[in-house]
Structure formats: C-alpha cells, structure tokens
Amino acid sequence: MSVLAVIPARYGSTRFPGKPLATISGRPMIERVWRHTAAADGVDRVVIATDDERIAEAVRAFGGEAVMTPESCRNGTERALAALDVLGGDAEIVINVQGDAVLTPPWVIGSVPMAMKADTDIAMATPAVRMPPETEAKFRAAKAAGEVGGTTVVFDKAMNALYFSKAVIPFQRNPDAGTSTWQHIGLYGYRADTLRRLVALDPSPLESAESLEQLRALENGIPIRVVAVDYRGRSAWSVDAPSDVEEVETIIAREGELVP
C-alpha cells in the first residue's frame, strides 16, 4: 500500500512571506518538516509541493524532492492533489503535512498512515492529542484573549470526528465530568479517491464559518478517523508569524532535535 507524504510550501504567506525558507536553529523550516516526515513510519515517499522556484531550489539543495504545482491552488489540500497528479497519481494514501509544523514528531506523523494501513475502511484520518490540565488552562486563556490559532476536536466512541472548532470544545459546564479536551494536530491522511472527492466539493457553510477545511468533509458525510497520539513530553508549536521562530528555537534548545 503506497503512501505519499506531501508538504505544501507556499512562498507568499500574508503574515510571513517566505516562511518555508525561514532559518530555525541553523536549518530552513521546510527542511526540518521534511526530515521529520521522512523519518515517519509508514511513509514511502516525501515531496514538497510548491509554486515557487526559490523553495524548489532550496529543497533540492538539502536533498529533498520538490514538485511544482499551480499557483492557483487555494489551500494545502488542493496542492496535495496537484502533487499527486504531477507524480502520476498512483499512491493509494496521501498524507498532507503542514509545512510550518516544525515540532511535529515523526511518530505523530507516522501514526496516520499506520492507522490507515491497519484499517482499510478509514477514508480520512487526522491526529489529536489530549491536553494536560496546565496546557488546557493556557489554551483557554489565549482564546479568551482573542487568539484564533489552535483547533480542538470531539469524536464518538469509535474515534470518528463529530466536530472541529477554533473554540474550545466541549464546553465544560460540568468540569467534574472528567471530559478531556483534545487538540487537533493539523495533518491529514486521505485515500486517493477521498482526496479527489473532497477537492471537487464546494466550500461548506461550517467550513466557511470556522475557516477549517476538514469541516467540508464532515458536512458532506466523509468520516474522519481521529488518531490519538502522545507527544512523549515534547512541546507542540507551529510557526504562524516571525515572532514564533524564537519560541521554536527555544524549545529545540531545551528539548533537543527530533531527528539528529
């Protein structure tokens, strides 16, 4: 069962132009994500899908494989499909790894293809991590202060997603119930036919309201399996703005490299 991992990398970020090439502790950000993805179990091939030759050149310089995709791709999902088509479309599973997730461990990335290989009924999968109380408290405080970043998810007893939200869900009216809050990790696995179906669909109302692409799948009856993961004591952080680089470098200095 062939698994293709695609890392979409766009140069023209509004908040952080050239973000994939930003240097983090001596390496371009895109190289760090590529190394973590290449080290993940269950992944057969890793490509960086871009629309900018500067990124493609940098990828080739560190030994990665770059695929040129149309500038018209509106999001990472469309770019992942474009990469699949450029490469011939023969992969059975496509893993879409966010290019700014520089601290996502290889075992978290690998959890998705391994789950999909183990259960051929899974059409689409994504990981989530249970928030410890101190992390949840900080997360809720950040949301109360107006921060948009970070997504939570709730799922049924079979681990199929019920809803994703930028709000903190579920609402804890009864904290003594012991219900955990799960943070969604923004990478996705698709069967190739599911990816094509998803891209062909129009944006959905809840997707537009929350600006969360995965809600398009749920609104159209495409189930998403949530894979519970453990960061094993590692910190999670993504690079959304230039100010995040220093924070990520501090974490790397404290916790060490994920891949030597």
Side-chain angles (χ1 to χ4, degrees), residues 77 92-94 96 116 123-124 188-192 194-195 198:
T77 308
E92 297 170 80
I93 296 173
V94 179
N96 182 353
M116 297 183 74
M124 184 173 170
Y188 303 92
Y190 317 88
R191 303 285 170 191
T194 301
L195 176 58
L198 188 63

Side-chain angles (χ1 to χ4, degrees), residues 36-37 97 101-109 185 187 231 235 237 258:
H36 300 166
T37 305
V97 183
V102 292
L103 296 179
T104 303
W107 61 87
V108 170
I109 298 171
I185 310 302
L187 68 95
Y231 265 65
S235 298
W237 202 278
L258 281 161

Side-chain angles (χ1 to χ4, degrees), residues 4-246:
L4 171 69
V6 180
I7 306 170
R10 190 170 57 91
Y11 193 91
S13 170
T14 303
R15 288 186 290 177
F16 195 169
K19 182 169 69 170
L21 301 183
T23 300
I24 296 178
S25 298
R27 294 186 186 277
M29 180 168 64
I30 192 64
E31 180 180 354
R32 290 186 167 276
V33 179
W34 172 79
R35 285 177 177 274
H36 300 166
T37 305
D41 289 339
V43 172
D44 299 306
R45 185 178 184 181
V46 182
V47 299
I48 287 86
T50 187
D51 58 5
D52 194 286
E53 186 57 39
R54 289 167 290 187
I55 293 176
E57 183 178 346
V59 169
R60 298 185 194 108
F62 63 69
E65 181 180 4
V67 176
M68 297 304 295
T69 50
E71 189 176 345
S72 59
C73 291
R74 295 172 295 180
N75 51 50
T77 308
E78 290 187 5
R79 202 168 297 282
L81 178 57
L84 177 66
D85 288 339
V86 169
L87 296 172
D90 59 350
E92 297 170 80
I93 296 173
V94 179
I95 308 299
N96 182 353
V97 183
Q98 289 189 345
D100 57 6
V102 292
L103 296 179
T104 303
W107 61 87
V108 170
I109 298 171
S111 69
V112 173
M114 295 304 289
M116 297 183 74
K117 285 183 175 183
D119 186 349
T120 56
D121 288 334
I122 298 176
M124 184 173 170
T126 193
V129 61
R130 189 196 309 265
M131 286 189 186
E134 62 274 14
T135 301
E136 181 178 347
K138 291 180 181 178
F139 190 83
R140 289 182 179 277
K143 290 293 186 181
E147 289 190 18
V148 177
T151 301
T152 56
V153 59
V154 290
F155 42 84
D156 64 19
K157 292 182 178 180
M159 297 298 291
N160 291 315
L162 295 170
Y163 195 67
F164 298 84
S165 183
K166 289 292 186 181
V168 184
I169 54 175
F171 175 73
Q172 298 283 4
R173 182 174 183 178
N174 180 14
D176 294 333
T179 305
S180 298
T181 299
W182 289 78
Q183 184 172 4
H184 175 231
I185 310 302
L187 68 95
Y188 303 92
Y190 317 88
R191 303 285 170 191
D193 57 346
T194 301
L195 176 58
R196 294 187 187 282
R197 178 186 171 192
L198 188 63
V199 170
L201 293 168
D202 291 330
S204 61
L206 291 174
E207 173 193 2
S208 300
E210 295 246 19
S211 291
L212 293 174
E213 292 175 48
Q214 64 269 40
L215 292 175
R216 185 188 310 184
L218 295 185
E219 287 186 86
N220 285 279
I222 300 173
I224 303 176
R225 179 66 54 83
V226 177
V227 181
V229 297
D230 183 351
Y231 265 65
R232 304 177 188 173
R234 303 287 307 210
S235 298
W237 202 278
S238 62
V239 179
D240 298 314
S243 58
D244 291 316
V245 171
E246 183 178 354

